[in-house]
Amino acid sequence: MRDIAVVASMQRQEKSIDNESEVEYMVPLMHGVKESIGITQADVGFTCSGSSDFIAGQAFSFVMTVDGANPVPPISESHVEMDGAWALYEAWVKMQTGEIDIALIYGYSKSSGGSLRDVLATQMEPFYVAPLWPDAFAIEALAARQLIESGKVSLEQLAEIASRSRDHAATNPNAVRTTAKSVADIMAEAPLMDPLRPSDIPASADGGCALILAAGDRAKDLCERPAWIRGIDHRTDAHTLGVRDLTTSMSARIAGEKAGVGNDKVDFAELYAPFTTSEFILTEALGLGEDTVINPSGGTLGAHTMMASGLIRIAEAAQRITNGDGDRAVATAGSGPNLQQNLVCVLEGE
Amino acid sequence: MSKQRAAVIGVGQTKYASTRGDVSMAGLVREAAYRALEMAGKTWADIDAVVLGKAPDFFEGVMMPEIYLAEALGCVGKPILRVHTAGSVGGSTAVVATSLVQGGIHGTVLTLGFEKQSESNAMWALSLPSPFTTSINAGAGGYFSPIIRRYMEYSGAPELIGCMVALKDRQHALNNPYAHVQDHELTFDKVVESPMLWDPIRYSETCPSSDGACAMILTDETGAEAHDGPVAWIHGTAMRSEANNYGGRNVVSPKASEDCAADVFAQAGITNPREQIDAVEMYVPFSWYEPMWLESLGFAEKGEGWRMVESGATNMVGGDLPVNCSGGVLSTNPIGASGMIRFAEAALQVMGEAGAHQVDGAKTAFGHAYGGGAQYYAMWVVGAEKP
Amino acid sequence: MGYNQDPSVQPDALSGKVTLPASLDDVEMVQAVRTPAAIDYIATPGASLSAYLRGMKQKKILGDVCPVTGQVFVPPRGVSPVSGQRTTEMVEVSDQGYVESFNVTRLPIKSRPDLKPPYVSAWVVPDGSNVGSIALVAGIEPEEVRIGMRVGAVWKPDDELEESAANILHWEPTGEPDVVLDDLRIIGKPGDNQ
């Protein structure tokens, strides 16, 4: 495989961005990330983005945003109706063909415009399940119930995940849920969707992320310490409720193996884990041990921007590598109910 | 690491119709996928990854339907990517799948585009009310008809060139049993007499709204050489996008279209497309786009594309550059699949598998798709010979 | 292993018959299930469009200026595609302009029951803007509309003005001589730096 690295990223996440449209708040990121390393769109060989029409409430919503990529003169460009992490994957694949050296990737959404819980219900199987409008939290609560009943995890352990995420988020200027809360206080929270409590669920945000990938020597030119992608893979589980064991994640396990997570010590992991339960499942599926710091940014419990959260995990992990905070990191992205789909990316400093 | 070779070894399509009420979305995609697998002599177990494309999720009312379709597409435990680049999506999806093979990531990939437009109202899905703008455009024809008028004025083309294209593509469709529109009684007079919807576009000059899916199996050089059956080698792929509205934009022949064609032809070693390409499958949702694309893509001089139409050069019978022998988008339009159908039909031509609409001895074929406000492009060149 | 030339021939894997309990043998196949869905969204116009809508209430048409090329975009969206940068300056453009191209729409559209076909849907470029946008042209027989024709905005009465693009009822001919377009393939006016 060709050596490809994350060389720069920019993100913005806020509880609700009311005064700017998606393209208006994305342009400073898309332009700014290029400016930060002294390149222009003319240096970019491929541009790829991730977003969702259902979240925007508009068909072809991504067409409104491509103007921010400076597509005059025309650019080589693509879009996935997935988290921006898969846009990064598509760009990484394109770079493996040797055709291009630099790629611009972005992902975004402004979910505050609609009820995300209702919107996500339209992802469900359309004949038996979606007509019941199952709330996205209710679907995850099924997994939480199975986990607890199976004895794999306790409510207290989940509260520990929530409490630690809040502490980490407090150090992250882009996080939106940053107030500290003790395990005891979280244990005392009234369940929102029993057994899930308010602290177990994601901290929804509006925002986005733009990121630059570069290959080989170009990466070294553009960044003192590039975050090299040493492995990247993604897999899906079955969708049908009832055919999966919701207490584990086959897709994350396979993607983790293919990406080579276990080949060496992992200093830290940025996991796309909207719920405390998802973090528990992912940590186990990826075989991450005590010596790995989980979600130093606070993760999606600190700020969760649909369609960008996965890309932001990669950006957060890469930034820490570039800063020299560690040598080897894992970042994941997810999609679908009960983390049906998972992408795993291994990043290294050398 | 340099680029690997990639080839098509299987093509599968569903029968296209305004409503495929006999199958669900899952049934629709499986029908196309199984046919592609059968042609390739493969089973689900041979597939390393799936790349799915379709147009806006609002068409079927299911958000990110690849999630619900995971089992139907046989990808549990495997990777699935979902591409969406407006009308060009079927083509872009095939390009992404090609990259997976060319980048050495996977050996064998299933790529599929679909749309089940009957499951919602397309006009509604495309024009969700925005509180900020005034709506006076009925569908895509409202957008593209002023562009067509510019072309007509610029080129001085005779008024009925569009009708000639419409008749030709509908006649071609009679040789393609999968095509949606099959009108054996259609005559040139009927095309001309058809009501104007968005003057200068007649009803007869617009594409239908279809249900359907199209699938292809792509494989690497080893797989293609070991394959006991017809193969379409991929000689080049390209994608380009440009902004929809800026001062000085060439709207009749957008720069993105010209750049994309130049890129894909350079990859395929094509210097004279009209001479070197034997069959063209181009995305013509409104009849006038045939002469417009002929010029933009370099098959004709600027302002002269209509002369090729008028002379019958793009007819399957007697033409030197047969365009849309399958009947094209004017005869079949499941939006998310329409681009992939162009790519797949180009592959069938060089495989010699196009049946009644086969161009004799086709060795090199061109597949083309566009979308948005004529701003998103995907193209490929396939050949019978290994590049 | 050739291509299946006959769509009525199902792939082997799909040709199997589903066995139902005998009691369901004669039950008619369900062809469609209607599941009405509704989701409410709050749309955000954003900074530029918001200023544009406020301008409309004062019968002013505002456009965005590209910070690099000086191109003016109407309606504004806060970004210049020609520089890929956020626009920071807005200018008022004229409510007079010309028809860049048009169609004569002869079918009704659901969202505008007030529009009686045939009507003219045109790209109108206001003076001072580099780009056109879709607008209604009226006050003239559809057959007489021309590319390059000069038009002016017809506004709603002052007491009916709101923050809405609908304040311009339509555009109608001014009677000035037609604009001659240099290249009929090109839309809008290129910016100074282009």
Side-chain angles (χ1 to χ4, degrees):
Chain A
M1 290 289 122
R2 201 167 172 223
D3 287 337
I4 288 158
V6 178
V7 294
S9 66
M10 278 179 95
Q11 59 166 294
R12 177 172 169 192
Q13 299 189 86
E14 287 173 27
K15 199 156 195 272
S16 156
I17 299 176
D18 298 324
N19 298 323
E20 287 167 288
S21 64
E22 285 92 331
V23 68
E24 283 178 333
Y25 73 72
M26 283 307 292
V27 172
L29 305 180
M30 294 155 73
H31 180 70
V33 73
K34 288 179 274 185
E35 203 171 42
S36 74
I37 52 169
I39 63 168
T40 69
Q41 188 64 30
D43 298 304
V44 174
F46 187 62
T47 302
C48 199
S49 62
S51 68
S52 160
D53 281 352
F54 253 93
I55 295 178
Q58 193 181 14
F60 301 118
S61 55
F62 60 93
V63 176
M64 308 298 271
T65 315
V66 76
D67 281 2
N70 192 13
V72 182
I75 58 175
S76 178
E77 190 259 354
S78 182
H79 172 263
V80 293
E81 195 83 355
M82 308 178 84
D83 187 289
W86 276 271
L88 178 141
Y89 180 79
E90 184 181 328
W92 177 83
V93 169
K94 194 84 168 170
M95 295 176 94
Q96 291 303 331
T97 68
E99 283 172 28
I100 55 148
D101 294 328
I102 297 180
L104 166 69
I105 294 104
Y106 59 97
Y108 63 93
S109 83
K110 189 145 90 166
S111 60
S112 64
S115 162
L116 199 51
R117 292 162 70 176
D118 288 342
V119 169
L120 291 176
T122 65
Q123 261 185 355
M124 304 303 291
E125 184 283 327
F127 301 103
Y128 302 108
V129 184
L132 307 172
W133 288 91
D135 182 296
F137 295 169
I139 295 284
E140 183 61 24
L142 298 174
R145 177 70 63 199
Q146 276 193 10
L147 271 171
I148 288 163
E149 301 274 322
S150 70
K152 281 190 174 181
V153 72
S154 66
L155 281 167
E156 189 152 19
Q157 279 172 285
L158 295 178
E160 281 164 11
I161 290 172
S163 180
R164 185 243 303 137
S165 296
R166 284 168 172 269
D167 290 345
H168 286 173
T171 67
N172 177 1
N174 291 300
V176 301
R177 186 193 279 151
T178 55
T179 47
K181 206 163 189 180
S182 69
V183 172
D185 284 349
I186 293 168
M187 290 299 287
E189 283 180 1
L192 180 78
M193 193 65 74
D194 202 346
L196 293 174
R197 299 151 300 199
S199 288
D200 291 310
I201 65 162
S204 270
D206 291 348
C209 176
L211 179 151
I212 304 282
L213 286 183
D217 290 343
R218 286 296 274 146
K220 291 176 197 160
D221 292 344
L222 295 169
C223 181
E224 194 116 327
R225 188 174 147 87
W228 299 101
I229 297 175
R230 295 299 182 209
I232 185 165
D233 194 89
H234 65 101
R235 302 281 149 167
T236 185
D237 272 282
H239 176 72
T240 310
L241 282 172
V243 307
R244 274 173 66 190
D245 173 359
L246 296 179
T247 67
T248 63
S249 172
M250 174 191 69
S251 56
R253 181 180 52 75
I254 299 175
E257 284 166 10
K258 298 273 180 192
V261 171
N263 294 351
D264 205 345
K265 175 177 175 292
V266 177
D267 294 328
F268 51 87
E270 281 287 341
L271 305 179
Y272 179 102
F275 300 88
T276 51
T277 41
S278 350
E279 185 185 302
F280 175 82
I281 291 166
L282 285 173
T283 307
E284 196 187 57
L286 296 173
L288 300 172
E290 293 289 317
D291 52 352
T292 300
V293 180
I294 306 289
N295 285 337
S297 71
T300 41
L301 293 168
H304 183 33
T305 300
M306 285 292 296
M307 317 314 289
S309 264
L311 185 62
I312 289 172
R313 302 279 71 72
I314 296 173
E316 287 283 357
Q319 192 58 55
R320 280 184 165 73
I321 297 259
T322 295
N323 292 351
D325 298 340
D327 293 322
R328 192 161 190 270
V330 168
T332 77
S335 181
N338 306 120
L339 279 191
Q340 186 188 323
Q341 206 172 1
N342 286 285
L343 176 146
V344 180
C345 179
V346 175
L347 296 153
E348 290 179 8
E350 299 302 331
Chain B
M1 176 170 268
S2 65
K3 198 153 92 178
Q4 317 279 306
R5 292 190 177 92
V8 183
I9 53 167
V11 172
Q13 304 189 59
T14 63
K15 169 66 190 169
Y16 304 108
S18 57
T19 304
R20 281 295 306 269
D22 57 325
V23 283
S24 63
M25 242 185 284
L28 193 74
V29 297
R30 279 176 86 76
E31 190 176 312
Y34 266 123
R35 285 196 172 120
L37 287 167
E38 268 193 357
M39 181 178 178
K42 299 284 181 195
T43 68
W44 292 106
D46 299 314
I47 301 301
D48 299 323
V50 179
V51 186
L52 177 76
K54 66 168 252 67
D57 295 355
F58 288 110
F59 276 146
E60 293 86 6
V62 178
M63 178 183 181
M64 301 173 174
E66 71 280 3
I67 286 171
Y68 139 64
L69 293 171
E71 289 97 318
L73 290 166
C75 50
V76 173
K78 293 179 183 176
I80 176 165
L81 262 172
R82 158 71 194 289
V83 180
H84 177 17
T85 61
S88 67
V89 61
S92 312
T93 304
V95 172
V96 173
T98 305
S99 299
L100 282 170
V101 176
Q102 288 179 333
I105 316 297
H106 296 300
T108 304
V109 176
L110 165 68
T111 183
L112 188 143
F114 84 94
E115 209 72 67
K116 206 150 188 284
Q117 287 189 238
S118 66
E119 299 211 348
S120 83
N121 181 333
M123 206 87 109
W124 169 82
L126 291 179
S127 351
L128 295 184
S130 158
F132 311 124
T133 53
T134 53
S135 167
I136 55 167
N137 258 340
Y143 179 84
F144 289 112
S145 46
I147 301 178
I148 288 169
R149 185 179 296 277
R150 294 283 284 227
Y151 173 72
M152 292 168 78
E153 288 228 4
Y154 150 75
S155 66
E159 217 182 313
L160 298 181
I161 290 292
C163 293
M164 293 181 74
V165 174
L167 180 68
K168 177 204 64 147
D169 280 5
R170 267 45 173 279
Q171 283 177 338
H172 285 176
L174 300 177
N175 292 321
N176 175 8
Y178 286 90
H180 171 183
V181 177
Q182 305 266 0
D183 186 349
H184 292 266
E185 310 300 320
L186 192 68
T187 62
F188 187 68
D189 288 348
K190 282 189 185 166
V191 173
V192 175
E193 284 156 17
S194 172
M196 282 286 187
L197 298 185
W198 309 273
D199 194 339
I201 303 182
R202 291 169 178 77
Y203 174 71
S204 58
E205 296 176 274
T206 67
C207 52
S209 184
S210 317
D211 283 358
C214 176
M216 287 188 284
I217 310 292
L218 308 185
T219 193
D220 58 15
E221 186 169 1
T222 317
E225 286 189 333
H227 178 63
D228 176 26
V231 170
W233 292 94
I234 298 164
H235 289 225
T237 64
M239 288 194 269
R240 285 295 184 283
S241 310
E242 73 173 41
N244 168 295
N245 200 7
Y246 59 93
R249 181 179 186 218
N250 187 333
V251 72
V252 169
S253 178
K255 184 86 167 43
S257 161
E258 296 180 0
D259 288 3
C260 195
D263 185 357
V264 79
F265 289 150
Q267 289 174 42
I270 287 169
T271 49
N272 183 341
R274 184 161 178 187
E275 288 288 316
Q276 290 170 267
I277 288 172
D278 303 314
V280 173
E281 282 285 338
M282 66 167 70
Y283 203 100
V284 178
F286 300 101
S287 60
W288 279 93
Y289 266 94
E290 179 172 305
M292 288 163 69
W293 292 141
L294 285 170
E295 294 172 27
S296 183
L297 298 166
F299 292 106
E301 294 296 319
K302 293 286 154 66
E304 305 289 319
W306 61 270
R307 292 185 199 275
M308 282 181 70
V309 175
E310 195 181 47
S311 71
T314 58
N315 272 329
M316 211 188 123
V317 179
D320 70 301
L321 187 81
V323 174
N324 292 333
C325 298
S326 64
V329 180
L330 284 171
S331 306
T332 302
N333 186 34
I335 298 181
S338 289
M340 191 166 295
I341 299 170
R342 308 279 71 72
F343 279 45
E345 285 285 349
L348 287 176
Q349 288 290 347
V350 299
M351 290 166 138
E353 292 286 325
H357 61 284
Q358 175 69 45
V359 174
D360 284 342
K363 291 274 174 261
T364 307
F366 174 65
H368 164 270
Y370 87 98
Q375 61 191 125
Y376 291 92
Y377 295 85
M379 303 176 192
W380 84 359
V381 173
V382 283
E385 306 295 333
K386 190 157 92 173
Chain C
M1 280 206 294
Y3 178 64
N4 178 359
Q5 303 290 348
D6 182 356
S8 67
V9 176
Q10 282 291 338
D12 286 345
L14 295 177
S15 52
K17 196 170 151 38
V18 178
T19 313
L20 296 173
S23 61
L24 292 176
D25 271 353
D26 298 329
V27 173
E28 201 181 329
M29 185 175 168
V30 175
Q31 294 264 344
V33 183
R34 285 187 75 83
T35 48
I39 301 171
D40 288 328
Y41 292 91
I42 299 165
T44 314
S48 278
L49 195 46
S50 166
Y52 167 85
L53 293 170
R54 283 197 300 271
M56 289 304 282
K57 191 168 182 179
Q58 302 164 39
K59 288 171 58 167
K60 286 182 179 165
I61 305 173
L62 295 181
D64 268 339
V65 184
C66 171
V68 177
T69 65
Q71 282 207 20
V72 176
F73 298 94
V74 180
R77 298 203 303 107
V79 59
S80 165
V82 289
S83 65
Q85 291 190 37
R86 190 86 157 72
T87 54
T88 48
E89 184 196 347
M90 298 191 85
V91 290
E92 184 182 349
V93 302
S94 172
D95 67 353
Q96 312 270 301
Y98 67 90
V99 171
E100 195 155 56
S101 191
F102 65 97
N103 72 46
V104 183
T105 304
R106 297 185 189 272
L107 76 172
I109 63 170
K110 248 188 198 164
S111 55
R112 289 294 297 273
D114 56 311
L115 289 180
K116 300 283 175 254
Y119 60 90
V120 175
S121 167
W123 294 340
V124 171
V125 188
D127 296 341
S129 169
N130 288 76
V131 301
S133 58
I134 293 280
L136 190 65
V137 169
I140 179 173
E141 289 303 316
E143 301 75 56
E144 290 170 27
V145 177
R146 307 167 301 279
I147 289 177
M149 187 176 79
R150 293 283 305 168
V151 289
V154 176
W155 295 83
K156 276 186 180 170
D158 286 0
D159 57 348
E160 290 175 27
L161 295 172
E162 334 175 282
E163 282 96 355
S164 165
N167 286 353
I168 295 179
L169 294 166
H170 58 261
W171 298 68
E172 64 180 21
T174 61
E176 297 164 90
D178 286 3
V179 174
V180 179
L181 303 177
D182 296 337
D183 184 340
L184 283 160
R185 295 170 301 169
I186 307 293
I187 56 161
K189 296 178 283 282
D192 294 338
N193 297 343
Q194 274 245 305

